[in-house]
Amino acid sequence: MSYWSAHLMHAMFDGLRYFMWMTISGLAVVGAAFYGGAGVHAFWQKSGPPARRRRDAVAREAEAGIAEIEAYLAARSPGSEPSPEPEAPPVERGKRPPGSGETA
């Protein structure tokens, strides 16, 4: 083996070692940022103010609908006889605005 081919082979191995070192270091940094970022975000959420709940018309209608469904399911649970009269009167819902192509 000549001097130049040996020198070229060592230079290629040095380049490969440098590339592998940078790849592994980069993966370690990305992993630390990923897990560290998730930890910081969880801490920030816990220490921040509580989330605000919506109390608009959509939330109230959804709440009433869920209560109606629960009452319906409780009246018709397995082992109970269905009653001819519902236990709770149906919830009055607001009139929906006309959709596209409908007349008011």
Side-chain angles (χ1 to χ4, degrees):
M1 184 183 285
S2 70
Y3 172 76
W4 290 110
S5 62
H7 183 68
L8 180 63
M9 188 174 64
H10 284 292
M12 286 173 42
F13 281 135
D14 285 344
L16 181 63
R17 186 175 58 190
Y18 175 78
F19 176 74
M20 291 302 294
W21 178 256
M22 294 305 278
T23 302
I24 291 171
S25 308
L27 290 174
V29 167
V30 167
F34 180 74
Y35 287 112
V40 168
H41 179 66
F43 176 75
W44 177 73
Q45 262 190 331
K46 287 180 184 175
S47 66
R52 290 181 286 182
R53 293 189 168 238
R54 290 176 45 174
R55 292 302 302 166
D56 58 354
V58 174
R60 286 191 296 272
E61 185 177 349
E63 200 172 273
I66 290 171
E68 188 178 329
I69 291 170
E70 287 176 347
Y72 176 82
L73 292 175
R76 285 156 183 80
S77 63
S80 68
E81 293 295 322
S83 61
E85 294 291 325
E87 293 179 8
V91 178
E92 290 294 325
R93 296 180 185 232
K95 188 174 181 182
R96 297 175 69 176
S100 64
E102 296 178 7
T103 57

